[in-house]
Amino acid sequence: MKHFITTQDWGRAELDALLSHAHGLKASPINRLLEGRAVALVFFNPSLRTRASFEVGAWQMGGHAVVLEPGGSGGTGGAWGMAFEPGAVMGGDAEEHVREAARVLSRYCDLIAVRAFPRFVDWSVDRRDLVIRGFAEHATVPVINMETITHPCQELAHVMTLQERFGVPDLRGKKYVLTWTYHPKPLNTAVANSAAMIATRYGMDVTLLCPDERYRLDERYMDAACSNAAESGGSFAVSHDIASSYDGADVVYAKSWGALPFFGKWDEEKAVRDANRHFIVDEEKMARTNGALFGHCLPARRNVKATDAVMDAPYSMIVDEAENRLHVQKALMASLVGGGGAG
Ligand code: CP
């Protein structure tokens, strides 16, 4: 059975088919591709865009979305108490194991989509992605990643938006800067991991711009970006120099993330983060680019990650990309239930 856990598991032709279908669905949004179908949306963490776009998307295709928030979506998933470790001895708070939850939801629903952020205590645990992997192992229907330690739906929306803005499907050769930005809290690396993978997959020349080596992504994603670039004809490099990274860029994609060596010791990272507020995306930096597009997955703190002038500029594609979440996820859901596109 095909799941959508990471785009790395999908071939380029499959991704291209999804994107092509998404462009078509944007032009003609209402259909019956999910008629009689139900989608479980399981949120262990909060959402604005993901929840709204999946719910509306299912409805626009004649399907039904069931939203579940184990423990309340503001929690870490521990409040309801679901266990994910194989062989767990459930003498603590967990009331239910993913083995049952996934199989039961599979009896009601045709798709299960899951959002489960890291717990931010121990990266060696979080990087195993146990929640979504548990659902994928035990579900008998396809499972969709709505953001765990990667955010593949955001990747699809990002590529779709770049294709629209550049007016061509081929993104090869574009100079792409994935820039770390300051945020008062240490955030998930998911979108940065995803951006590095999908930008290299589509043949762009990608620079990961971050304050120092401690902000490198997990080597799993660094390696994936390198091998994607080798395959696509793009490139992948790390830089800590703001000016040269922005020079001549065609795309600036901003994201904040917590440095992995400080995982679980976030107080120690605070001084490092605070010293790098100047990574904010502003007009002065954008002026160095080749008229670059600016992107961010949202939500984004204005005048912390990017200035108002950048967020509201004609070259800002932040709202377009958020809209395109709807179209790519519709194509994805249709594909996974056998209703068009790839899969
Ligand atoms: N970009 C994104 O996934 O937004 P939400 O967290 O609001 O779903």
Side-chain angles (χ1 to χ4, degrees), residues 46-51 115 147 151 154 297-299 325:
S47 164
L48 186 150
R49 280 145 289 272
T50 304
R51 177 172 173 168
R115 165 167 285 196
E147 190 176 353
H151 199 348
Q154 194 74 47
C297 63
L298 301 181
R325 291 286 304 279

Side-chain angles (χ1 to χ4, degrees), residues 23 159-171 174 293:
H23 287 288
V159 172
M160 181 178 178
T161 310
L162 291 173
Q163 290 175 332
E164 286 176 336
R165 286 291 189 124
F166 286 123
V168 288
D170 186 358
L171 304 176
K174 299 293 184 193
L293 298 168

Side-chain angles (χ1 to χ4, degrees), residues 140-266:
T140 55
V141 299
V143 170
I144 296 172
N145 181 348
M146 296 195 295
E147 190 176 353
T148 61
I149 55 173
T150 60
H151 199 348
C153 294
Q154 194 74 47
E155 292 176 46
L156 294 179
H158 187 41
V159 172
M160 181 178 178
T161 310
L162 291 173
Q163 290 175 332
E164 286 176 336
R165 286 291 189 124
F166 286 123
V168 288
D170 186 358
L171 304 176
R172 285 178 297 177
K174 299 293 184 193
K175 183 175 177 190
Y176 183 105
V177 182
L178 169 56
T179 179
W180 180 92
T181 54
Y182 172 76
H183 189 286
K185 297 180 194 164
L187 299 184
N188 196 353
T189 48
V191 171
N193 294 336
S194 276
M197 288 193 292
I198 203 68
T200 49
R201 197 83 189 276
Y202 275 78
M204 290 186 268
D205 292 317
V206 179
T207 300
L208 175 68
L209 170 63
C210 55
D212 61 46
E213 290 293 293
R214 293 172 292 187
Y215 286 84
R216 288 171 68 93
L217 304 174
D218 186 283
E219 289 306 316
R220 178 194 292 157
Y221 303 108
M222 301 294 283
D223 291 347
C226 288
S227 57
N228 287 351
E231 195 169 323
S232 67
S235 61
F236 182 68
V238 179
S239 174
H240 310 307
D241 184 65
I242 293 174
S244 61
S245 297
Y246 274 78
D247 282 345
D250 299 301
V251 181
V252 175
Y253 200 58
K255 187 68 185 80
S256 182
W257 63 90
L260 296 180
F262 294 99
F263 220 84
K265 306 173 285 186
W266 298 113

Side-chain angles (χ1 to χ4, degrees), residues 4-71:
F4 189 69
I5 308 294
T6 165
T7 51
Q8 294 293 116
D9 293 340
W10 286 54
R12 252 303 294 268
E14 293 175 313
L15 297 177
D16 288 344
L18 283 179
L19 289 162
S20 172
H21 193 197
H23 287 288
L25 289 168
K26 186 166 187 173
S28 180
I30 306 300
N31 59 61
R32 308 304 296 171
L33 291 171
L34 284 189
E35 184 152 32
R37 310 282 196 156
V39 184
L41 306 179
V42 185
F43 285 98
F44 290 95
N45 305 93
S47 164
L48 186 150
R49 280 145 289 272
T50 304
R51 177 172 173 168
S53 55
F54 266 104
E55 279 201 64
V56 171
W59 172 77
Q60 288 185 346
M61 296 197 292
H64 180 71
V66 182
V67 177
L68 300 164
E69 298 180 348

